[in-house]
């Protein structure tokens, strides 16, 4: 069975490249490794849709830095994966091209917005994938699909060629079965880039070397108040995960993150505000869909946006425009920015006494397709544990921590800025002791490398 056949059921991919099939793979650190790219990453002359009708026929004139680096590393680029439109969503149901299914249960969502990348890795259609994470879009689908996904520190990876959603939050990161594979992929994509002035100007450490160090003696913080409202099975899963860390000689320390409950409202104000500004460029003039037959420029622009953008994207543009409007700016956007500072202070304080912080990735395993699509607020609530890493710019990883009724569950770790190596170190040693990350859903292709 080809990957295309396998994808009939899952719909993880929006585009399969011919290049990968034709070209022998190059030499380099990822020689022969097959990689799928989330379809909000520009590749010259490849369709790049961001899951939107607006960009259905867009072929970028240039290639994202991360993709250039993958090519130079010898990787085989398989194609582009499905996502929520402009990365706005938690289920991949907001794609204009139809949803992706979770390979563990075809009735369920793979998470989002990098749901296509997570499903493709979980089903063994590729060895690794790139996702993007503005509020959890790497970590939440990784948790729902039983794989490992890392959101790097803000500024660790170049975003040149990434279709912007929330510019103060967006990061590109690796998704793979194991932390060790995430380390290999991160090593290739991370580091300074003259084409992205928000990319940190300091060379990266050797992530594999940092990962290999025994975590014995590290201090891992957690806040019991954050898990008290979880249902009993999710809480037990989380506590069992902490126990694995204790068994590794990691010291568990209770610390308090008193303002975490404000992160979700702050995130949905800031993300929608930035989205409303970033998406102003899709006006039917510069590029993207243009409505036919309009009488004047104004109606051409509004009709192009009416036809080209989906319901959730329009909702966010309206919410964001409202939050930024002069009468409400101070009450919403400015308050949300202040909360962001408070959250960062909470973490700075926590990291004075611990080396990393553990929390669940999601409040529950993958939900059913259609279950939350009529209620945006319940969809937003699935991001309750992930958005804080984006608001604070801190790195965070989700790794598999077990199964509930056959569905994968993830455990999330956060670390001080630039400490991706510590997240990989902890996750890798967790994976030396457990085999959750090696479980494959039925019908998965066996690993090739
Ligand atoms: N689910 C969140 C949102 O819809 C996060 C999305 C993302 O990280 N791209 O905004």
């Amino acid at each position: 069975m080809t990957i295309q056949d396998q994808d009939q059921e899952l719909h993880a991919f929006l585009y399969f490249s011919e290049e990968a099939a034709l070209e022998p793979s190059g030499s380099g650190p990822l020689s022969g490794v097959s990689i799928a790219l989330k379809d909000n990453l520009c590749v010259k002359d490849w369709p790049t849709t961001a899951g939107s009708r607006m960009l259905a026929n867009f072929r970028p004139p240039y290639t994202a830095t991360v993709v250039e680096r993958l090519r130079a590393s010898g990787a085989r680029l398989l194609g582009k994966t499905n996502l929520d439109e402009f990365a706005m969503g938690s289920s991949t149901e907001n794609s204009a091209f139809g949803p992706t299914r979770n390979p563990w249960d075809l009735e369920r969502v793979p998470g989002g917005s990098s749901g296509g990348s997570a499903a493709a890795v979980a089903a063994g259609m590729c060895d690794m994938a790139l996702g993007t994470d503005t509020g959890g879009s790497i970590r939440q689908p990784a948790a729902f699909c039983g794989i490992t996904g890392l959101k790097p520190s803000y500024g660790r990876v170049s975003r040149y060629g990434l279709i912007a959603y929330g510019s103060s939050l967006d990061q590109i990161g690796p998704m793979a079965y194991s932390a060790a594979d995430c380390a290999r992929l991160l090593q290739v994509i991370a580091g300074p880039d003259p084409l992205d002035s928000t990319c940190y100007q300091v060379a990266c450490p050797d992530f594999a070397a940092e990962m290999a160090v025994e975590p014995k003696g590290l201090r891992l913080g957690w806040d019991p108040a954050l898990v008290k409202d979880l249902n009993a099975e999710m809480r037990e899963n989380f506590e069992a995960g902490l126990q694995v860390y204790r068994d590794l000689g990691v010291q568990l320390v209770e610390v308090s993150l008193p303002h975490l409950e404000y992160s979700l409202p702050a995130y949905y104000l800031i993300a929608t505000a930035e989205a409303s500004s970033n998406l102003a460029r899709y006006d039917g003039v510069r590029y993207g869909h243009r409505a036919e037959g309009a009488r004047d420029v104004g109606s051409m622009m509004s009709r192009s946006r009416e036809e080209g953008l989906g319901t959730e994207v329009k909702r966010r543009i309206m919410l964001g425009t409202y939050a930024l409007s002069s009468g409400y700016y101070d009450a919403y956007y400015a308050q949300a920015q202040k909360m962001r500072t408070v959250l960062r202070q909470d973490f700075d304080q926590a990291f004075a006494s611990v080396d990393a912080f553990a929390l669940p990735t999601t409040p529950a395993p993958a939900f059913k397709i259609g279950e939350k699509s009529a209620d945006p607020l319940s969809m937003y609530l699935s991001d309750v544990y992930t958005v804080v890493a984006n608001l604070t710019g801190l790195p965070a990883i989700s790794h598999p921590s077990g199964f509930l009724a056959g569905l994968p569950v993830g455990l999330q770790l956060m670390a001080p800025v630039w400490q991706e190596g510590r997240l990989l170190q902890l996750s890798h040693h967790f994976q030396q002791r457990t085999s959750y990350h090696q479980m494959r859903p039925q019908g998965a292709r066996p690993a090739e490398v």
Side-chain angles (χ1 to χ4, degrees), residues 38 86-90 112-113 132-138 165 267-268 271 316 380 383 387 390:
K38 186 175 179 178
F86 288 107
M88 297 177 196
S90 312
S113 63
T132 65
D133 192 313
T134 304
S137 280
I138 288 176
Y165 164 13
Y267 169 79
Y268 273 97
R316 302 222 184 172
Y380 298 171
D383 304 328
V387 295
N390 306 75

Side-chain angles (χ1 to χ4, degrees), residues 10 12 14 17 29 32 37 77 94 106 144 153 159 168 197 215 220 229 255 282 305 308 367 376 379 403 416:
L10 292 175
L14 293 176
S17 84
L37 306 169
L77 302 182
N94 295 338
L106 298 175
F144 280 10
S153 309
R159 301 181 298 177
S168 75
S197 60
L220 181 60
D229 294 332
V255 293
Y282 304 106
R305 287 167 74 78
F367 46 89
M379 186 76 85
F403 291 81

Side-chain angles (χ1 to χ4, degrees), residues 127-209:
D127 299 314
M128 307 178 186
L130 286 186
T132 65
D133 192 313
T134 304
S137 280
I138 288 176
R139 292 160 285 153
Q140 185 255 25
F144 280 10
C145 290
I147 64 167
T148 307
L150 182 133
K151 182 201 85 76
S153 309
Y154 186 81
R156 182 58 103 186
V157 177
S158 165
R159 301 181 298 177
Y160 178 76
L162 165 65
I163 295 177
Y165 164 13
S167 300
S168 75
L169 307 158
D170 298 339
Q171 269 294 293
I172 302 168
M175 305 173 82
Y177 262 101
S178 66
D181 278 349
C182 285
R184 289 170 72 196
L185 184 48
L186 182 64
Q187 197 75 55
V188 167
I189 61 170
D193 176 14
L195 297 174
D196 177 1
S197 60
T198 67
C199 192
Y200 188 53
Q201 288 299 319
V202 170
C204 288
D206 179 342
F207 293 116

